[in-house]
Amino acid sequence: MANLKERGQMILLMGFVLAVSFVALALILNTAIYTENLASRSETAGGTEALAHRAMVEASVGELIRFANEENRTEVSGGLTDAKEYHKMESNVSQGVAELNESIQRHTTASIAFVNVSVPQPGSDTLPGVSNDFERGKEIEQTSSGGLTDSSGTINWTVVDNAKLEDGINGTRKFRMELDTSTVPSRTGTRIFEVNVTEGPGESASNFWQMDVSENGASEIVVRVKTDEMSPSETETCTRDVAALSSTVWVNVTDGTFAGRPCPALDFAEDLNEPGLTDYDVTFNNSNQVEGTYSLIANTDDVGSNAGPAPTVKNAVYSTTVEYTYVAPELRYRTEILVEPGEPE
Amino acid sequence: MTERGVSTVLDYAMTLAIAAILMSALIFAAGEFVGSNRERVVETELRVIGQQIASDVQTADRLVQANRDDDHMKDLTMNQSVPDTVAGSSYTVEVYVRSNDEVELRLRTTTPSTNVTVEVLNRTEIEPNTLTQGDYAITYDASETKLEVVDD
């Protein structure tokens, strides 16, 4: 009997040790389940919402600027000084942002986060009176189809003089042209319409971006781009069949599209962001070789200085900066948003 | 009689020995089983935690990169937490910067000894550091234009 008792104790001991092992195993597997659960959770800090709201703010303020540039100005026809006109447009944008902020706050505070958009301060209505929150610029526009010369018929002329280049962000936006396809000259001809982006007369010629539009002899219209970074014989092109186009073709230089489709070659002022380079000129060469309309906005006063009735030059808000704040329980995000409508990121 | 006596003692000793061998083998096997499972769980958990941290760092990176210019970024703080221990052992997370756009999180436990490496896809520079606890914060250093991952 004594023997039996001892054996029983050993089996009991073994059973106990095994039981403890299995409990440990259960705990460990439980950890695994918890971890897998953690893995299936999506991002919890709210960064995605912060970015979505940011994009919405940027788009809305962009629309406010576009509206001010297109609509508000017509109400102040005649008699107003430049400063008064800028002040009026900026005040309208400013007021719009204030209303936008109010409506965002109403929709977000109760639910997910505190979102705030600072209201940009308009500049004063006397010169110089420029506000830190707004950048003033000029819009040049030719609305009725014709040669792309200046008002006195000069065919090689400076459209934009000294557009400011800051931190690699270029100073012209919403640059687009609608060209009459039947007037686009053949490439075999010596003179083709060109858009040149350079440092300007008397300055270094080692930095340039050049675009020309021509017909290649095979009933196709070609946009050809050359920059200083390419070898002399190299060019990048985009081609569209004339038969597939209507009587006009859009070349959207800022957006990089040609006839409504993306054109990778068309990357405005690409490679022009050399350190130390602070401004550039945009010139049209052989501008009588093609007919059409165009418009662009630049962040400088010196736009189309010879322009008369066609093309026309108007005051425009170039850009504005608003401060965007997003505060959620686990995220604090505060940044300035530079809004330049019509400028791709 | 003598034979029987020997037989009984031998029988008893052998039974004990066999039982002991069986039992220790069983206990050893059970221990090994639990141990290997623990190691596997620790590794899985470290990988999941690494991916959670990497995803938060990448979110912070996106928030910074949404700006067209570094100067626009004013403030970014993201507070997050992951478990302090994995299957009972503590761990460290090293933010290892191989080069500016090649950043790795190296997660380590000492008992059991496990190493897991998770890659971070980033465009903003990240400051190297080592985390020792579950609560951490991702902040942006505007003067150095770098992201920092620090204990919170």
Side-chain angles (χ1 to χ4, degrees), chain A residues 302-320:
Chain A
D302 232 342
V303 173
S305 44
N306 295 323
T312 50
V313 176
K314 299 182 278 193
N315 294 325
V317 174
Y318 184 78
S319 67
T320 185

Side-chain angles (χ1 to χ4, degrees), chain B residues 49-62:
Chain B
I49 288 171
Q51 283 164 353
Q52 288 263 317
I53 299 175
S55 119
D56 286 334
V57 172
Q58 283 164 205
T59 304
D61 180 45
R62 278 205 301 281

Side-chain angles (χ1 to χ4, degrees), chain B residues 33-117:
Chain B
F33 182 60
V34 171
S36 74
N37 262 303
R38 177 164 181 235
E39 214 161 295
R40 207 162 48 84
V41 165
V42 165
E43 203 183 311
T44 318
E45 191 160 358
L46 285 185
R47 174 147 293 127
V48 168
I49 288 171
Q51 283 164 353
Q52 288 263 317
I53 299 175
S55 119
D56 286 334
V57 172
Q58 283 164 205
T59 304
D61 180 45
R62 278 205 301 281
L63 288 168
V64 175
Q65 291 298 326
N67 295 299
R68 298 180 66 184
D69 184 36
D70 287 339
D71 297 347
H72 293 158
M73 192 67 214
K74 295 293 171 204
D75 182 19
L76 172 66
T77 313
M78 194 188 268
N79 301 93
Q80 289 289 65
S81 65
V82 286
D84 277 327
T85 56
V86 283
S89 34
S90 59
Y91 63 96
T92 57
V93 183
E94 187 191 352
V95 182
Y96 182 81
V97 181
R98 198 185 287 281
S99 66
N100 283 344
D101 52 357
E102 266 184 84
V103 177
E104 287 174 359
L105 299 177
R106 295 178 168 177
L107 296 96
R108 265 190 210 103
T109 55
T110 42
T111 47
S113 165
T114 317
N115 282 304
V116 172
T117 305

Side-chain angles (χ1 to χ4, degrees), chain A residues 59-72:
Chain A
S60 309
V61 177
E63 278 302 302
L64 289 170
I65 293 180
R66 200 188 56 75
F67 187 79
N69 283 346
E70 280 177 15
E71 308 295 333
N72 295 155

Side-chain angles (χ1 to χ4, degrees), chain A residues 47-203:
Chain A
T48 315
E49 280 92 355
L51 279 175
H53 278 93
R54 181 190 201 282
M56 191 267 286
V57 167
E58 191 169 349
S60 309
V61 177
E63 278 302 302
L64 289 170
I65 293 180
R66 200 188 56 75
F67 187 79
N69 283 346
E70 280 177 15
E71 308 295 333
N72 295 155
R73 186 180 32 224
T74 57
E75 297 166 20
V76 288
S77 57
L80 279 186
T81 60
D82 282 356
K84 281 204 166 105
E85 197 172 27
Y86 279 124
H87 173 73
K88 181 168 172 56
M89 290 190 284
E90 288 170 359
S91 303
N92 280 322
V93 173
S94 189
Q95 196 186 332
V97 174
E99 283 164 17
L100 172 73
N101 185 33
E102 216 171 276
S103 95
I104 291 177
Q105 289 198 344
R106 212 175 307 132
H107 283 101
T108 53
T109 328
S111 54
I112 41 166
F114 169 74
V115 182
N116 187 56
V117 183
S118 72
V119 176
Q121 290 306 309
S124 79
D125 58 0
T126 51
L127 283 171
V130 181
S131 149
N132 286 331
D133 295 338
F134 284 97
E135 184 155 26
R136 293 176 172 182
K138 298 270 186 188
E139 178 170 17
I140 183 164
E141 195 172 27
Q142 172 162 306
T143 47
S144 53
S145 188
L148 307 187
T149 58
D150 74 358
S151 54
S152 53
T154 316
I155 51 176
N156 299 334
W157 63 293
T158 303
V159 184
V160 177
D161 195 20
N162 294 332
K164 292 186 280 284
L165 189 69
E166 283 163 35
D167 302 315
I169 301 174
N170 73 53
T172 36
R173 64 175 175 84
K174 226 183 102 187
F175 183 10
R176 51 196 178 201
M177 300 183 282
E178 187 179 16
L179 304 175
D180 189 337
T181 43
S182 61
T183 64
V184 174
S186 163
R187 186 173 313 159
T188 50
T190 45
R191 298 198 304 158
I192 304 172
F193 168 63
E194 285 173 354
V195 176
N196 278 306
V197 180
T198 56
E199 290 191 36
E203 289 172 79

